[in-house]
Amino acid sequence: MKKLLPVFGMVLLLVAVIFAAGCVGTGDDSGNQTATPTTSVPTATPDQLKIATTTSLYDTGLLDSVQDYYLDTYNVDLLITSQGTGKAIQSAKNGDVDVLLVHAPAQEAEFMDSGYGVNHRGVAYNYFVIVGPESDPAGIKNMTPEEGLTTLKNLGEAGDESIIFVSRGDNSGTHSAEKAIWAAAGLNYTAEVSGNPGSWYVETGSGMGDTLTVAGQKQAYTLTDEATFLTYKKNNNLQLVPIIDEGETLLNRYTIITINPEKFPNTNVVAATDFTNWLISADGQKFIGDYGKEVYGKSLFSPMVTLADSTLPPFNIDSTTAVTVPTVATA
Amino acid sequence: MDDIINGVTEAIHLIITMDPEVMEIAQRSLTVSSEATLIAALIAIPLGAAIYYFTFRGKRVVIGTIQTLYALPTVLVGLLVYLLVSNSGPLGGLRFLYTTNAMVLAQVLLVIPIIAGLTIAGLSSLDKEMKYTIQSLNANAVQAIITLCREAKFAILSGVMLAFGRAIAEVGAVMMVGGNIRHFTRTLTTAISLNTSMGEFATSIALGIILLSIALIVNFAMNIIQNWHSGGQKDV
């Protein structure tokens, strides 16, 4: 019997740990709310809205601020998962989230055309930048994005070992933008760039932050969204500077899409509609426009409302018409 | 170098001030992994004991498979659980994806082979005579298995602790099925991954130190218990 005591002790310890931590809950709707220590929610249990988004939007910290503000103001807890555009869109197609917040126009269009989404609205924009070492070994400053990338490719293929371009290579929104620039430069991405790269073209297959680290360590060029670059450069000793930051192909447009309730009736469409309307409201647009001003000296995202008309190219997105709760045709 | 020094400084600061977000994340890691280990133990110890006790065809293959599954790739488990619990998957009705339940499920699958395998190994290291003696005393299978497990309890406990260590240090599967949602499914490992990709190396190091401390405490506790046990035996 004596020998059993230690076993008992360990089991008790384990159980104690679980009970002590019990307030964290295990995912049931009632328990997990107490896990939000920084907010003082008045009475009712907050509603939950599940959002899938991209790493480059999440990593700036904007969405954490939005989450806190939205919970305090509207008592809705935004459950935000950021795993890259490819997986975010797949989660949405599986009906695992309620809304999608992304920046990949081609993939968004395909998503909408296949009937997965409704209430597509533009919420913010900024620009991609091609960053690189301050010495700019390829001399691409003041070129257009297309000329710049083509020059990198030509020099790299000619055997100039100081020229390296680091690509996300992960089907993210940023990677899609890179492919769009290669296409605009008249190159077949699959055959001429990614398929036959040579040592000058490096694909990391990981998020924006990790890719910036790799580019910084290698003293290489890379394409990044401005917001992640500013956030990351501030937090780190990143030895990269913006080289090319102008050009229509560098536009980075963020949009929100509600998952079509016809496909998945058990998603939270009401909260999704409210959140979309808040984002495009004066209050939401001001929140986005103000984010980062104090810390970075400039806002990381420009609200869509600052444009005269977002429905014109290159934006091509409605950002002002309020959305209504989509109705499900009952068979 | 600065990153490391800043990280350690920030870690000490976060721990001393009991930073609420860090404490919440650490607590969630502990809860999820403890639950997973407990559930896995309840399944895997009887399973392992039964495999050890009974003779059947293909027993070696079963044991070999279990031992191979010690190295079960975590992202594979993540993918499997993701496909199972996704809204469009077979268990989609549970709405488990992006909750801690899915994370527990993934960790349970991940550590069952470890606990089962080490239970078998622990029982196999007992003197063979013991099994026959117990059988000759007319014990039924359940009684015999319980008695044998008692004899091998420290070996089995080591397996459970090892499983806990693997569960709490795991990142791939919980990231995939938990979604790393703030205040909801974020754990120490996924928070480290996120902060690293945001360039917040100091916070990552701080969280890493906390994770390492938990692993060390668990292992020291196990060592103390085992030493205490072997010390006690000498007296007998």
Side-chain angles (χ1 to χ4, degrees), chain A residues 213-230:
Chain A
T213 309
V214 173
Q217 297 285 337
K218 286 183 175 289
Q219 282 295 289
Y221 294 89
T222 191
L223 180 73
T224 172
D225 64 289
E226 200 179 11
T228 309
F229 177 67
L230 289 173

Side-chain angles (χ1 to χ4, degrees), chain A residues 56-57 102-105 124-128 173-174 177 224-227 248-254 301-302 304 315:
Chain A
S56 44
L57 187 57
V102 284
H103 64 142
Y125 70 95
N126 59 12
Y127 290 91
F128 288 110
T174 311
T224 172
D225 64 289
E226 200 179 11
E248 198 169 282
T249 42
L250 292 179
L251 176 74
N252 188 21
R253 182 197 83 172
Y254 294 92
F301 301 93
S302 305
M304 280 289 192
F315 291 88

Side-chain angles (χ1 to χ4, degrees), chain A residues 131-195:
Chain A
V131 298
E134 196 152 18
S135 60
D136 187 17
I140 59 170
K141 206 166 181 70
N142 298 324
M143 288 184 179
T144 66
E146 294 79 16
E147 287 167 358
L149 286 196
T150 311
T151 308
L152 291 181
K153 177 175 156 68
N154 292 340
L155 290 172
E157 284 175 351
D160 186 339
E161 286 177 6
S162 65
I163 309 295
I164 300 170
F165 183 84
V166 180
S167 168
R168 292 275 298 267
D170 61 352
N171 242 346
S172 59
T174 311
H175 189 214
S176 303
E178 184 205 322
K179 288 191 270 194
I181 299 175
W182 287 115
L187 289 158
N188 181 329
Y189 177 76
T190 324
E192 295 176 79
V193 183
S194 175

